[in-house]
Amino acid sequence: MIGGRFRAQGVAVGVLAGLLAITGCTGGSKDPTPTLTTTILPSSTPTPSATATPPVAPKAVRSAKGAEDFVRYFWDVHNYAYESLSTDEFNSIVQVSCTFCASTLTDIRDAKSKNSTISGSTVQIYFVAAPPGKVGNRLLVATVISQQAGVETRPDGSQETYPSVPKTQSSVALQWTADHEWLVHDVSIDEASSS
């Protein structure tokens, strides 16, 4: 599910603060007050976790295209983390301060501790665009994503279902590190429109 299903309304506030700080470093954005979603869900596919294969990381390049490739990879890893209930790959590409990421990690660890399985809820990417021009240490990448409906199944057979999320705009804030790699600083997802 996107961002650990965003169980807490307070997650959006932390995300906004982090994104506004990054936007200030990147020369601003078209929408200085992004609307952040609270209808975010987990990502995975119905494939059994035993067959889940981690996505292959793109070459780290400090460019707009490199940032776009990394954002696509981030969502692939997000999907893989829910599918496999493994947090290692996801945790290795995000910063500790990432509110969205912390919510995702908590959600996956909670499902794993209950011996649950998660199916469906795969995040799909329709559009990824980094701003043109010189790329600094911080970058805000715009995306359009959606998410399929999903189900968490517990060992006793009980299930919790999660609705699909239609196409919606999101932003992934990246940080270029001293180790010459991208890390996710935070993520915002606009509330999906009802139209």
Side-chain angles (χ1 to χ4, degrees):
M1 309 240 163
I2 300 175
R5 298 170 228 177
F6 269 168
R7 292 178 178 167
Q9 295 282 338
V11 170
V13 175
V15 173
L16 178 60
L19 289 176
L20 289 177
I22 284 181
T23 300
C25 296
T26 60
S29 70
K30 291 182 182 177
D31 183 4
T33 55
T35 305
L36 302 175
T37 191
T38 57
T39 55
I40 306 302
L41 314 168
S43 297
S44 68
T45 64
T47 308
S49 60
T51 62
T53 304
V56 177
K59 182 178 179 182
V61 179
R62 189 175 173 180
S63 68
K65 182 177 182 325
E68 291 168 359
D69 290 345
F70 182 79
V71 167
R72 287 184 188 92
Y73 171 68
F74 166 76
W75 285 117
D76 287 346
V77 172
H78 183 272
N79 288 339
Y80 167 77
Y82 275 102
E83 179 181 352
S84 66
L85 296 182
S86 171
T87 57
D88 294 344
E89 289 80 8
F90 188 85
N91 197 42
S92 71
I93 62 169
V94 302
Q95 293 184 319
V96 175
S97 59
C98 177
T99 306
F100 173 91
C101 307
S103 177
T104 297
L105 290 166
T106 297
D107 196 49
I108 293 168
R109 289 171 180 150
D110 181 58
K112 187 172 184 176
S113 73
K114 294 185 293 189
N115 293 317
S116 294
T117 59
I118 298 174
S119 61
S121 298
T122 301
V123 173
Q124 296 177 313
I125 305 166
Y126 299 91
F127 174 81
V128 179
K134 184 177 179 183
V135 174
N137 289 334
R138 293 187 178 206
L139 192 63
L140 195 59
V141 180
T143 66
V144 175
I145 60 174
S146 70
Q147 187 168 38
Q148 299 170 345
V151 177
E152 179 178 336
T153 305
R154 298 178 184 91
D156 64 4
S158 63
Q159 295 184 324
E160 188 170 353
T161 60
Y162 300 93
S164 62
V165 176
K167 284 184 185 178
T168 187
Q169 296 179 17
S170 69
S171 299
V172 180
L174 301 181
Q175 172 80 46
W176 183 256
T177 72
D179 293 329
H180 304 289
E181 64 181 0
W182 290 113
L183 291 179
V184 174
H185 177 72
D186 225 329
V187 178
S188 75
I189 301 174
D190 293 350
E191 236 176 284
S193 69
S194 55
S195 57

